[in-house]
Structure formats: C-alpha cells, structure tokens
Amino acid sequence: MQTIIEHLNPKFTKFYPKDKKNWKKDTIIGDVFIYDQFDQEFEYLINKYNTAGSICGYASLANIQILHKYGVDEGFMQIREERQKYIEDAMRFIKNARETYASNNPILSQDQQQFNNYLKDWVANYEISDYLKELKLQNVYFVRNIAQEYPEQLAKVQFEELERIKEEEQFMGDNYFIYYGYDNKFIRRKEFEFKGTQYFIIDTLGHFMCITSEFKFNKHIIVIFDTMQHDNLENICIRRFLRLDK
C-alpha cells in the first residue's frame, strides 16, 4: 500500500528539523488536495438539504470520519469512494438540528425567508462540535477559533450561534481552544499535546479542513487534507496550532 507521504504536494510540503522544545522527532508537514468541494457531484446534496454552496464544514466532518475509520494511508484512498455518504449524513444531522431550533424561535418560525437563510448558512463551530459529540470518536478533535477575538466575524453572528458563543468566553486571549467530542470536553491550547495518531478538524477563519498527526518512520508526520487548494502552511490558524512560529 502506498503511504500518504507519496501523495504530498511538493509545492506545499516542508521539512522541519528536530526542535527539542516543540517536537519529539523530525517533522514532515504537508498538504494533500483531496477533492474539490465545489465539484458538480455535490449539487444534488446541496439542493436536497438546502445548504450553502461552500460545503467545507460538511466535507470536513465526512473526511475526518473516513480517515479515522481506515487510518491515514487507506483513509486517503477511501475518501474518494465514501465521501458522498458521510457528507449527506452531516447535512442531515445539521439540517434537523437547525429545523428544531427554528421551530422554537419566534423570528425564524414566523419568517419564511429568514428561516430559509438560516438553513442555508455556513456550518458554525458549535454545529461541528455537536456532531462530533454525537459521533463520539476517540482521538478526533476540533480546533476552534474564538469569535469574540474577531469583531468583524462576531458582528455577523445571530440566533443559536450567538447563544452558543458563551462556550468560548473562558478561552479569551488564547487564540484557539480544542473540543474533544469523545469526552465532550474543551481543552486549553497550553494543555494539549501531540501524541500517537490524532485526527483534527480545524477552523481557519472562513474555511474548515482536516489535519492528521502520526509518529512513525522516526518522523512526526502531519498532513493537511483540504478541499480547496491553498498554501495552508501560511495560514495563521494552522501555524499557531502546529506551533510553527515558536
């Protein structure tokens, strides 16, 4: 079987020497573009569940489940075969949760246009946390930014997302925190460490993607799985999480 290392995009792959402060072993960090989230293959699901055209939240939830189910190397190949099913599962879960909330909200339950807009909105951080809590997968984490530290984003928040932002208040000043759905708990950035094989969804302020972390071949191998093509190692959220600037 091919390993994920053979699929890393050389343009967006970097090798980090041993750093006793941050890394236990030599480190490889690379990018893999797994598929295009805007491909026409997803139009049917977008229309069926009335979602936004940008489906990175649903795709990340799907991709992380497949990577976790099969492991990083085989999971990378299985994503091509199984992504539709897992994306639809995530869409169904979030749509049902939104409809339940809207039915009890005095504005959304009375205004059809606002209701439709609410269903079509991008996936929010709390919704990813809620789905991971439902899935209860070991070693799967969600790296969440803190909305109150970004006033331009906070100004756009409303309805349940605005209510749930209170979860983040205790982490003000940390830039990000980590949610672990298996134990339904929040972890401060300073309390988290990389060990064994771990799977992450990360919020990069406007986009979600997956990251895996493994220790093997005498290396710390970190792979970013994206449904868009970016130089993700230049993203401030990823650099903070991977501690590249220390």
Side-chain angles (χ1 to χ4, degrees), residues 92-104:
R92 183 185 302 110
F93 178 89
I94 291 174
K95 182 175 186 289
N96 289 343
R98 289 182 179 184
E99 288 179 338
T100 298
Y101 174 83
S103 67
N104 295 301

Side-chain angles (χ1 to χ4, degrees), residues 217-231:
F217 309 130
N218 293 319
K219 302 284 185 185
H220 184 185
I221 303 172
I222 298 171
V223 182
I224 303 165
F225 295 84
D226 200 358
T227 53
M228 296 176 66
Q229 296 196 60
H230 300 111
D231 185 352

Side-chain angles (χ1 to χ4, degrees), residues 1-10 13 28-34 67 71-80 212-214 216-217 220-226:
M1 180 191 301
Q2 290 182 314
T3 68
I4 191 64
I5 293 177
E6 298 172 66
H7 295 276
L8 297 180
N9 184 335
T13 298
I28 299 174
I29 305 177
D31 255 310
V32 175
F33 174 60
I34 39 179
L67 290 166
V72 178
D73 295 324
E74 185 179 353
F76 166 70
M77 307 303 294
Q78 289 296 326
I79 282 174
R80 303 176 185 180
T212 59
S213 169
E214 296 182 289
K216 63 181 184 181
F217 309 130
H220 184 185
I221 303 172
I222 298 171
V223 182
I224 303 165
F225 295 84
D226 200 358

Side-chain angles (χ1 to χ4, degrees), residues 38-188:
F38 298 105
D39 193 274
Q40 289 184 346
E41 73 169 283
F42 303 114
E43 286 185 2
Y44 168 74
L45 292 178
I46 289 170
N47 292 329
K48 179 178 179 180
Y49 292 95
N50 192 30
T51 74
S54 181
I55 62 168
C56 57
Y58 305 107
S60 294
L61 285 165
N63 298 336
I64 210 68
Q65 290 181 78
I66 299 169
L67 290 166
H68 179 267
K69 178 180 179 181
Y70 293 100
V72 178
D73 295 324
E74 185 179 353
F76 166 70
M77 307 303 294
Q78 289 296 326
I79 282 174
R80 303 176 185 180
E81 306 298 325
E82 300 188 24
R83 60 196 182 205
Q84 286 264 358
K85 173 193 178 302
Y86 286 96
I87 288 174
E88 181 166 15
D89 288 346
M91 288 180 172
R92 183 185 302 110
F93 178 89
I94 291 174
K95 182 175 186 289
N96 289 343
R98 289 182 179 184
E99 288 179 338
T100 298
Y101 174 83
S103 67
N104 295 301
N105 180 277
I107 297 175
L108 296 173
S109 61
Q110 300 297 321
D111 188 321
Q112 187 63 43
Q113 185 59 53
Q114 288 218 54
F115 173 76
N116 290 338
N117 292 340
Y118 177 69
L119 290 185
K120 210 175 184 69
D121 203 1
W122 287 4
V123 175
N125 281 347
Y126 77 89
E127 293 174 314
I128 289 182
S129 290
D130 286 352
Y131 196 41
L132 291 179
K133 178 183 177 181
E134 179 79 8
L135 294 174
K136 207 174 178 63
L137 300 174
Q138 284 188 296
N139 299 318
V140 175
Y141 303 84
F142 178 32
V143 184
R144 290 180 53 167
N145 283 298
I146 302 163
Q148 289 138 313
E149 295 185 1
Y150 300 93
E152 69 283 0
Q153 289 203 346
L154 186 60
K156 303 174 186 176
V157 172
Q158 57 182 338
F159 300 122
E160 186 173 9
E161 186 175 11
L162 185 60
E163 299 168 14
R164 296 286 297 274
I165 275 181
K166 294 178 181 178
E167 299 172 351
E168 306 173 0
E169 291 177 352
Q170 61 184 306
F171 302 105
M172 285 288 289
D174 286 355
N175 297 127
Y176 69 84
F177 63 101
I178 295 166
Y179 176 72
Y180 185 37
Y182 183 78
D183 289 333
N184 187 29
K185 70 177 182 179
F186 299 124
I187 305 171
R188 287 193 177 276

